[in-house]
């Protein structure tokens, strides 16, 4: 056995303003590369990590843990070797750990002639998320595996729906390279929310889903509103309000925090608008002295994909 | 001027389990009749009320108030006469006041050659709701005016979306003729909810909207779940748990409280299933000694409609 697969493991934007913990979408130009190979030596082995300092011990590596979860369910004593070429920065809020977990299980499944459906791969990848953050969340691994926009309708039982993804949607993402401690990012969120705000939020979730299916870009834009989490978390992100105001003034459909931050996303209709917004955001961040990356990407409707060697 | 219109003003089911205050749908076989006429005497006059004891004073009657709101915006001193043949019982939780308000403004708009779009009629009808309950809610008047399933994405500014309505959806509604005081129905609801439950709820709203657009009846069913309001309000409705369990066991996609109750709705795929469920619910309520009505109705995708004289 020496079958081998080189893949692109995409970055993802979770929450999407109104859909805290349930919505996510997949990027196309930002992601890791991985080479996954069948090996004659049983067990999962991380053989190479480039671009990041991550553990080689399988049980401490999110790709390793996710792969082991898959193999446990598969029930055969297979040998897997994993090379990770990390391009998504850790702690960026665009699904760095999810890319590794999702990429690994997607490729292994492909090498095994797809014993699992994409939806069935989600719980395996979630094991990687559990290792990374203590919480087996699905809002990044789901879009990485299914592509496009996804909804985690329920966690118990797990019920993930791939939503319709209009073709003309593009993301601008800025990653300010500051460290927001997960503990800070969580501690600002309150366990109780006002019913009025919750109603407002689920009105927007309904509006966003309807907007995606009807390709009503204005409705998508109006629905990208977060009255619960963003007001609390955005204070941890430098220039958030300026970036958001500028993005909206320059035609973005919506703008908000990517995942738990510190990355900020802006959603546009059309690549050109996404590029214009990237230029404006760059100008704002150039004045701060903070290092940052800016990405512009089409929404990737396929998720993980095979790269030519 | 003696133009006159006889209309059917439909009953509606608001909330639909997960969509408290934002979702609603329109019924087809349950509703009031109204005759609306242009008159040469300026002003709005309620000339006949059959089937209920309701005020004839225009400013105390929901149809009168809604019509006056429309005429104020229209800006001409028109004469309108309204006859109301009430068939929806007051306090039933299937949009009795909404039917009168929506029916009146829809018919007046039609008689005036439609100066307003259906969506523009919603705020006028909401004035009737404000008179009826002190709260200008839109989750009953919106489906009555637009038909099908509707979403109130936002109240401020008002943004109401008509959702796709699969053809094969039928409602069974039981109205137990008990009085649930609005004050009781409200007082059981808490102003704060847990974030975890709110997330669960907006996952379901997203799932229900996706299910409607994709005509995925199973997804619609899985999404008809209310973890916030139903557990609190259902204790006010006799046999709620038995009715719900029985409906689901007999094939209902979902079952919950209609509006603020006491009516209970069950949503089915197909008329036959809705009829079977009606029979089962009837048996349960026959044992209680409580008077009740049971309705079976297709989802009405048109809303208010003209009746032949």
């Amino acid at each position: 056995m020496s079958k081998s697969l080189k893949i692109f493991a995409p970055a993802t934007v979770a929450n999407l303003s109104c859909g805290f913990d349930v919505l996510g979408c997949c990027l196309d130009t930002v992601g890791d590369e991985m080479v996954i190979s069948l090996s004659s030596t049983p067990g999962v082995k991380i053989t190479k990590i480039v671009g990041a300092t991550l553990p080689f011990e399988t049980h401490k590596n999110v790709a390793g843990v996710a792969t082991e979860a898959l193999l446990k369910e598969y029930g055969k004593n297979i040998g897997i070797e994993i090379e990770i070429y990390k391009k998504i920065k850790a702690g960026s809020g665009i699904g760095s750990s999810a890319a590794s977990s999702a990429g690994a299980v997607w490729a292994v499944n492909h090498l095994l002639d797809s014993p699992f459906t994409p939806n069935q791969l989600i719980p395996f990848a979630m094991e990687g998320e559990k290792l990374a953050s203590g919480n087996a969340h699905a809002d990044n691994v789901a879009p990485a595996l299914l592509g496009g926009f996804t909804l985690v309708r329920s966690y118990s039982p797990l019920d993930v729906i791939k939503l319709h993804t209009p073709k003309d949607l593009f993301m601008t993402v800025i990653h300010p390279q500051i460290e927001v401690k997960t503990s800070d990012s969580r501690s600002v969120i309150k366990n109780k929310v006002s019913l009025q705000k919750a109603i407002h939020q689920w009105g927007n979730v309904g509006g966003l889903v309807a907007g995606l299916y009807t390709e009503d870009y204005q409705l998508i834009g109006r629905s990208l509103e977060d009255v619960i989490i963003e007001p609390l978390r955005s204070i941890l992100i430098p220039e958030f309000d300026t970036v958001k105001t500028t993005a909206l003034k320059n035609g973005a459909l919506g703008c908000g925090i990517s995942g738990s931050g510190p990355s900020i996303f802006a959603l546009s209709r059309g690549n050109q608008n996404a590029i214009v917004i990237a230029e404006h955001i760059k100008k704002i961040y150039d004045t701060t002295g903070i290092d940052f990356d800016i990405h512009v990407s089409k929404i990737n409707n396929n998720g993980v994909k095979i790269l030519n060697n």
Side-chain angles (χ1 to χ4, degrees), chain A residues 14-297:
Chain A
N15 296 350
L16 295 168
S17 298
C18 54
F20 183 68
D21 268 8
V22 306
L23 290 172
C25 73
C26 187
L27 300 182
D28 202 36
T29 59
V30 199
D32 299 338
E33 289 179 17
M34 302 175 83
V35 177
I36 315 284
S37 310
L38 292 178
S39 148
S40 52
T41 313
V44 180
K45 210 170 156 184
I46 315 292
T47 55
K48 199 171 178 180
I49 300 173
V50 177
T53 308
L54 293 168
F56 278 85
E57 298 98 311
T58 305
H59 68 284
K60 291 183 181 174
N61 182 297
V62 299
V65 165
T67 303
E68 286 193 327
L70 182 154
L71 291 181
K72 193 178 168 193
E73 184 69 23
Y74 186 58
K76 288 185 194 163
N77 206 5
I78 304 285
I80 300 287
E81 291 183 359
I82 301 175
E83 299 175 15
I84 303 170
Y85 301 84
K86 205 72 201 162
K87 300 190 176 180
I88 310 169
K89 293 196 176 79
S92 54
I94 53 170
S96 180
S97 58
S100 298
S101 305
V105 298
W106 189 93
V108 170
N109 187 53
H110 194 272
L111 288 169
L112 298 176
D113 295 327
S114 303
F116 302 105
T117 66
N119 268 76
Q120 286 173 333
L121 295 175
I122 294 170
F124 307 140
M126 286 166 69
E127 290 299 312
E129 293 293 75
K130 193 173 170 185
L131 176 67
S133 71
N135 180 9
H137 59 96
D139 47 351
N140 287 106
V141 296
L145 284 166
L146 307 183
F149 286 81
T150 57
L151 169 78
V152 185
R153 187 197 63 81
S154 161
Y155 273 92
S156 179
L158 186 67
D159 188 7
V160 179
I161 294 121
K162 177 166 178 171
L163 305 170
H164 179 72
T165 300
K167 285 203 178 98
D168 213 17
L169 286 176
F170 288 76
M171 277 285 186
T172 308
V173 177
I174 173 158
H175 171 213
Q177 286 167 32
I178 56 167
E179 190 192 352
V180 176
K181 285 184 188 159
T182 307
S183 56
D184 285 347
S185 170
R186 285 203 189 158
S187 66
V188 295
I189 294 178
K190 300 185 171 69
N191 289 330
K192 293 265 182 184
V193 298
S194 90
L195 178 60
Q196 281 312 311
K197 286 185 179 172
I199 292 166
H200 199 92
Q201 202 90 344
W202 63 61
N204 278 319
V205 170
L208 181 51
V209 173
L212 290 171
Y213 278 101
T214 55
E215 304 204 353
D216 181 337
Y217 293 88
Q218 294 311 311
L219 175 55
I220 292 168
R222 295 199 302 278
S223 305
L224 285 170
E225 184 191 20
D226 175 2
V227 297
I228 293 180
I229 308 297
E230 183 178 296
L232 302 172
R233 273 192 176 164
S234 60
I235 54 173
L236 300 171
I237 304 171
E239 302 294 339
F240 178 84
D241 290 342
T242 314
V243 167
K244 181 167 179 171
T245 307
T246 304
L248 295 176
K249 207 171 68 183
N250 286 281
L253 300 172
C255 179
I257 303 169
S258 176
S260 56
S263 286
I264 306 171
F265 78 90
L267 190 68
S268 289
R269 178 170 192 174
N271 194 28
Q272 191 50 43
N273 198 66
I275 292 169
V276 167
I277 286 165
E279 288 162 0
H280 281 283
I281 297 177
K282 185 180 178 305
K283 276 185 204 155
I284 296 167
Y285 256 81
D286 276 340
T287 66
T288 62
I290 298 169
D291 285 339
F292 60 92
D293 294 320
I294 293 189
H295 311 286
V296 172
S297 174

